[in-house]
Amino acid sequence: MAEFTSAVFQNEFLPDGGTDVNAIVTIRCTGAGEAGRTGRGDAGEIVVVDISGSMGVTNMQAAKQAAMVALDNILDGTYFAVVAGNHKAYLAYPIVQTGAAMVRMDANTRAEAKRSISFFRAEGGTAMGTWLNLCRAVFDSIGNLGNKHVILLTDGENHNETPTQLDQAIRASIGKFQVDARGIGVDWKVAEIRKIAQALLGSVDIIGDPGRLSAEFASLMRNSMARGVANADLRVWIPQGAQVMFIRQVSPSVEDLTHRGVPVNQLTMSYPTGAWADEERDYHIAVRLAAKTVGQEQLAARVQLAVGAELLTQGLVKAKWSADTNLTAQINPEVAHYTGQAELAQVIQDGLAAKAAGDEATATTKLGRAVQLATETGNAEATAKLRKVVDISDARTGTVRLRKAVDKADEMALDTASTKTTRIRG
Amino acid sequence: MTAVDWPLLPTCPTCGATVSPSASFCEACGGALVPTEPPPEPSLPAEPFSGQTQRLGSRASQATVCVSCGGPVGADGYCQLCGTKAPSARDHYREAPAGWVAGVCDRGQTHPSNEDAMALWAQADQAVLVVCDGVSTSTDSDVAAQAGAEAARDLLVERLTGSEPSIPDALVAAAAAANAAVIANTAEDSTNAASATFAAAVVSGSQLHFANLGDSRVYFLGESEGRLLSVDDSLAQAFIEGGVPRDEAEAMPRAHAITKWLGRDATDIVPRVGRLEVDQAGWLVVCSDGLWNYASAPEQLAAQLAATGSQDPSVAAAKLVEWANSQGGRDNITVAVARLRKPEADSQQSHSLEPADAAASTTEQEHAAHG
């Protein structure tokens, strides 16, 4: 049985009249076990491979190989299916007309599935909403699955659907399954794929070199198989009359959860966090309270992790009003660090968007600020990726110049990695 | 075999009772202890307050109803509606040993902890009321003040119920007992020894005896006349004796600096003792400065007491504390009251103040010039 623990990092002291409470709540999961093997329902995995014409010979070959490697990493006994997608979506394996659209993994089904994958040929367009809709139907054909996870590979823009069609498919899939999305080449749009991955609680990344695809799929699948806790929710209670300013996951990546809550009761909202392996995640909770008199103490939030109706851990975010400025003026280092990291993600995305729109002045300012923040918060990965897009003359002040010739893949890598954060603690 | 040296359970430094090595408080006297062993695995309560709280550990506060909004208090010690911290048993407690004697001890609004303490007792027409105000600038004063108040009360009760008690002597002895308890609750290596004030009143029929040290007070607010019986050992009092008007002296910057106290660094622990022959119905009030800061003169305090509109000591004490909190609650607030009836016709003449015994009154004159 998985164990959850929590820790709260905050400066609970507020000055006279102070109203805003910020805290970082770390939630750690240990003993998660393996997906589908904890007695809480079977796990289901779907591998979605883009077979649109633009994949060409090289990428198609790499994608086929990667899909097969992904199958190798699915634990025996796990339900699985393979979907091929272009402007339509096909159930490539299992080969069935009716009934259950997934089968349990074993040596035999693995070999059959690989054979089906070997027949993939690149042709047609791209309609990712249709792919998601098929995945949903495939999962639905097996009732009672615990973990439901999709690896989605694409190489192009969603040409054969309207944005509305994609949005509808995403909305219909929220809470049904999780999607880790990978883009191959440089012809896909980061914003489009990020939209899918964010809504469906997964990650997004660019695979610049087709040769790396197999290793990436293997690692994604292994990670998914390690998520023994199928579905957990972050619950946040706030006092009557208080207001949530924002709730974000800030580690391992920045995800704004503020508007994803579902009310549990009048004072408690529940935010989906998907499946958990043995890992730690940090959340930044910001709550606005009515000020109380100096000397008063109150609870600003109860931050809980729930699996189903069961609460497994609780962190208390407090507010104490004090007249001692030595206490109230301090900013908690964790809060400061993650506030900087969240801004970093935002200015990278804004800067790249401005650059794409031809607004070089804004792009320079935003990316300059990004360099400054990455340096201040010790995010070496972001600094390295920024260096490929801008020339840095002074990292401390954020003085940069946009580079003239930038590899598109480097720009996309900066974009997809923008939400990854570093931690302040080991 | 007469001597058993194992297992040897630790004893409480305050009262000597045998205590569990994992206990944080003595079950006999309530004094704080430093546990020497981790606590045993918590046993789940038979009737959990709710399914969710059971998993998350034991209750942090005994209060089940929020003092601020009336909502339910969660197992974590905070209101489940408004988030207000439920007061711990030390932050706010009430005693009512008899229908005519009651007290409330409260943290107030701005102090982070409650260093005030009280200990009450009543039986038939006798009562003991003790208030100690721990000095917040010293360490462990909250524990020490509570131990001191209880030690003084216990000694007074013992003497009062004994044969032919000399109450003035008992009051002097009670201050010494309180002093010993305060010192016993001071860490040996403390560089900032715990200290506390002392105010006590003993009612026995129509006789009212009182004693004080520091700036906690004893008032008698009769139907026709109110009196402040105790005399503060404070800088303000020294100024008053030097001719400065009371309201002006009490508003001075260091007015609250006390010139006498209980504790390891105290030099004079003999209280000022006095006696009052009660000839009219009225209220005995023993309180800390958390109350009288907002109503120092007897007539002011009498007015606030009348404003509570209650003859019930529990209600009156609670309302006075509530009122002091509404005035800012800048210090801990303790209010212990006793409702005294008009004595039967055969008792004494008019009420008269008199210094009780020679020893006490001598010291009274000696230390009056402090500050």
Side-chain angles (χ1 to χ4, degrees), chain A residues 33-70:
Chain A
E34 287 174 327
R37 296 187 173 184
T38 56
R40 290 188 175 230
D42 286 303
E45 290 284 349
I46 300 178
V47 179
V48 181
V49 180
D50 186 344
I51 57 162
S52 62
S54 56
M55 287 288 281
V57 177
T58 317
N59 283 355
M60 194 67 250
Q61 196 49 45
K64 284 175 174 183
Q65 198 197 337
M68 293 184 197
V69 170

Side-chain angles (χ1 to χ4, degrees), chain A residues 237-240 267 292-300 302 304 310-314 316 318 320, chain B residues 52 55-56 68-69 73-85 107-112:
Chain A
W237 171 96
I238 55 164
Q240 214 160 41
L267 301 174
K292 290 196 169 181
T293 51
V294 164
Q296 296 283 87
E297 172 178 344
Q298 85 159 85
L299 201 57
R302 290 181 172 97
Q304 306 159 332
E310 210 176 352
L311 296 184
L312 297 177
T313 185
Q314 170 171 281
L316 299 180
K318 297 172 188 174
K320 288 179 185 168
Chain B
Q52 74 175 58
R55 283 195 63 86
L56 297 171
S68 173
C69 76
V73 171
D76 47 29
Y78 294 87
C79 175
Q80 290 188 314
L81 282 187
C82 71
T84 298
K85 188 181 189 182
R107 185 177 60 90
Q109 297 294 310
T110 60
H111 275 230

Side-chain angles (χ1 to χ4, degrees), chain A residues 44-48 83 131-132 135-136 139 148-153 177-181 200 202-203 220-221 224 227:
Chain A
E45 290 284 349
I46 300 178
V47 179
V48 181
V83 167
W131 308 356
L132 295 175
C135 287
R136 202 165 61 247
F139 280 127
K148 283 175 278 185
H149 177 242
V150 171
I151 296 181
L152 185 151
L153 177 73
F177 53 91
Q178 289 183 252
V179 175
D180 282 315
L200 303 181
S203 59
L220 279 178
M221 194 53 84
S224 176
R227 293 186 192 132

Side-chain angles (χ1 to χ4, degrees), chain A residues 151-235:
Chain A
I151 296 181
L152 185 151
L153 177 73
T154 186
D155 81 326
E157 279 184 54
N158 204 39
H159 279 309
N160 299 88
E161 274 177 346
T162 62
T164 314
Q165 283 174 306
L166 178 58
D167 287 347
Q168 280 172 344
I170 294 173
R171 254 203 311 281
S173 305
I174 287 176
K176 301 284 174 61
F177 53 91
Q178 289 183 252
V179 175
D180 282 315
R182 293 294 178 268
I184 189 165
V186 293
D187 297 326
W188 55 284
K189 271 182 149 171
V190 175
E192 208 165 69
I193 305 303
R194 180 185 283 137
K195 194 165 66 178
I196 297 173
Q198 279 189 335
L200 303 181
L201 307 175
S203 59
V204 57
D205 207 351
I206 177 173
I207 309 296
D209 169 14
R212 267 184 49 224
L213 196 57
S214 290
E216 182 73 11
F217 270 36
S219 124
L220 279 178
M221 194 53 84
R222 274 198 300 272
N223 288 345
S224 176
M225 289 285 108
R227 293 186 192 132
V229 178
N231 231 321
D233 297 306
L234 185 76
R235 287 196 185 175

